[in-house]
Amino acid sequence: MTNGLVSERAWTILEKLADGKFHSGEDLAKEFKITRASIFEDINKLGESGIEIQRIRGRGYRLLHTWDQLSKKEITKILGKNHSQFNLEILNQANSSNTVLLQRAALGALSGSVVAVELQTAGKGRLGRRWHSGLGTCLTFSMLWRFDCGLNELSGISLAVGVGILRVMKKLGAQEIKLKWPNDIQTEEGKLGGVLIESQGDMLGPATVVIGIGLNYFLPQKITSKIEQPATSLSEVLHEVPSRNLVLAMLICEMSAILEKYCEKGFTILQKEWEENHAFQNKKIKFQLPDGKIVQGIALGVNEFGALRMQTEQGECIFNSGEVGGLR
Ligand code: BTN
């Protein structure tokens, strides 16, 4: 096992257990033509990757939480005639969908390529943090977009992506969702989703951007215990949780629409919508700069480049990187 990834054989056993029923060690051994000891070993490896499997003497093994599996066929069907614009790949497991897609980008992957991962074992978050998720607990995927313009014109892209996710959440009925600068998706209860943007290219163009999105579906204690801030999930926000296939298809469509608009007009056309959904608009916040220094003031909103505007004792300040915290 490397970096929490399980072997192909263990994954095949996992797929057998995906029906949520008990399967005896003997039956599994017969089916996969390996010994019961090997089955036991693979089940242990799955457990080490955070996949909870119940073991009852005389009955066998059972997956404790079945998951809503992603299906390329289903997503393609939902995307309809738009599907050919996107090169969709679903991986059983990977350390990070962003890392995989950055590698594909370097090999020439097309704009609109999407990599979604069922089990992400070393998800990356903003500011060097980790993004924690388990099998089916989160929608974890990345989208590649190529721009003719340079990186210097893309400063608002991460906020634009936040607006895209927010629109999808609202279409699904989650009206209380707000944005925290630059692009955290959150409710009063905590963070629902996050975005990590990684880019390659020149300041003057062209540029390639990998947009990684993590959206919590449900949060078992095993995951919340690792997350260092209040977090929430779609199962807490919505009465009826939509299928991961539907949400992924909706996000892909909205993302591509918003990125196309961004290419034409920049962030300016989304500035008002971002501020209308800003969790701390005209509220007191503290802002942590990359060097750790804390600035306090009133969040005034964002400028046309996506930078945070803050009223401080020294007057209005503009910040391009750092972390917002609320002051209540
Ligand atoms: C954040 O810190 O808020 C950003 C979290 C981004 C997580 C997603 S999950 C899919 C993609 N792959 C990664 O490794 N990270 C992003």
Side-chain angles (χ1 to χ4, degrees):
M1 188 177 72
T2 47
N3 217 355
L5 298 177
V6 297
S7 67
E8 282 303 311
R9 192 180 76 187
W11 194 274
T12 322
I13 295 172
L14 176 65
E15 276 177 343
K16 184 78 196 169
L17 299 179
D19 60 6
K21 296 186 180 142
F22 276 102
H23 294 267
S24 75
E26 200 179 337
D27 288 348
L28 291 171
K30 233 185 249 163
E31 177 159 353
F32 296 110
K33 299 188 177 58
I34 52 177
T35 62
R36 284 171 67 177
S38 303
I39 295 285
F40 181 76
E41 206 178 285
D42 283 348
I43 298 275
N44 279 342
K45 283 184 191 151
L46 291 168
E48 284 165 23
S49 286
I51 299 162
E52 293 176 276
I53 295 173
Q54 187 184 23
R55 188 177 305 166
I56 294 192
R57 198 182 282 274
R59 297 190 73 186
Y61 304 102
R62 182 174 78 102
L63 190 62
L64 218 49
H65 309 284
T66 56
W67 84 104
D68 174 23
Q69 293 189 42
L70 291 171
S71 146
K72 182 168 174 170
K73 198 170 151 203
E74 191 60 32
I75 296 165
T76 306
K77 204 163 101 191
I78 303 169
L79 288 172
K81 59 178 172 23
N82 294 331
H83 81 90
S84 56
Q85 297 169 30
F86 310 105
N87 183 13
L88 172 64
E89 199 181 346
I90 296 172
L91 302 178
N92 287 339
Q93 47 176 349
N95 39 31
S96 153
S97 58
N98 265 32
T99 304
V100 172
L101 198 49
L102 281 165
Q103 286 160 356
R104 305 265 197 280
L107 296 173
L110 297 175
S111 191
S113 296
V114 175
V115 170
V117 176
E118 290 283 23
L119 178 64
Q120 187 170 256
T121 56
K124 299 184 284 185
R126 279 183 65 239
L127 307 170
R129 298 199 187 105
R130 278 286 297 268
W131 180 262
H132 298 282
S133 58
L135 185 65
T137 69
C138 190
L139 190 57
T140 47
F141 74 100
S142 304
M143 185 173 204
L144 171 71
W145 210 260
R146 296 195 187 270
F147 295 87
D148 292 332
C149 68
L151 292 173
N152 61 352
E153 287 181 48
L154 297 180
S155 58
I157 202 87
S158 82
L159 285 82
V161 169
V163 171
I165 302 173
L166 180 116
R167 284 184 185 169
V168 171
M169 294 301 103
K170 292 205 164 174
K171 276 185 204 160
L172 291 169
Q175 300 303 333
E176 71 275 39
I177 305 289
K178 295 274 182 223
L179 294 166
K180 181 176 126 182
W181 190 89
N183 51 25
D184 277 4
I185 312 299
Q186 61 171 53
T187 69
E188 291 270 309
E189 311 310 318
K191 181 158 163 172
L192 174 69
V195 181
L196 175 69
I197 305 222
E198 296 184 89
S199 48
Q200 301 168 334
D202 293 326
M203 288 316 269
L204 297 176
T208 297
V209 167
V210 166
I211 300 155
I213 298 177
L215 187 67
N216 294 328
Y217 249 73
F218 69 97
L219 285 169
Q221 219 277 321
K222 261 192 151 178
I223 304 284
T224 32
S225 60
K226 294 186 198 155
I227 304 177
E228 286 154 1
Q229 58 177 302
T232 190
S233 64
L234 275 186
S235 64
E236 288 168 64
V237 171
L238 295 172
H239 291 301
E240 236 173 85
V241 183
S243 84
R244 292 163 81 230
N245 291 321
L246 174 68
V247 177
L248 181 51
M250 287 174 79
L251 285 169
I252 291 174
C253 280
E254 191 62 54
M255 244 8 97
S256 83
I258 232 157
L259 293 170
E260 267 162 24
K261 262 266 145 44
Y262 186 98
C263 285
E264 261 176 61
K265 315 232 172 192
F267 177 64
T268 323
I269 45 151
L270 298 167
Q271 194 178 348
K272 185 164 169 278
E273 189 175 350
W274 195 95
E275 287 182 344
E276 281 167 0
N277 292 286
H278 180 197
F280 300 109
Q281 187 69 15
N282 299 321
K283 290 190 182 148
K284 272 190 184 168
I285 55 165
K286 56 179 195 287
F287 188 77
Q288 185 169 26
L289 298 169
D291 64 3
K293 208 176 130 210
I294 305 277
V295 184
Q296 296 202 12
I298 311 275
L300 298 175
V302 290
N303 70 11
E304 68 272 38
F305 307 109
L308 182 73
R309 294 173 52 223
M310 232 178 116
Q311 187 64 46
T312 71
E313 280 178 1
Q314 284 72 44
E316 187 178 325
C317 295
I318 302 286
F319 297 106
N320 290 296
S321 65
E323 178 83 348
V324 173
L327 270 185
R328 280 159 206 261

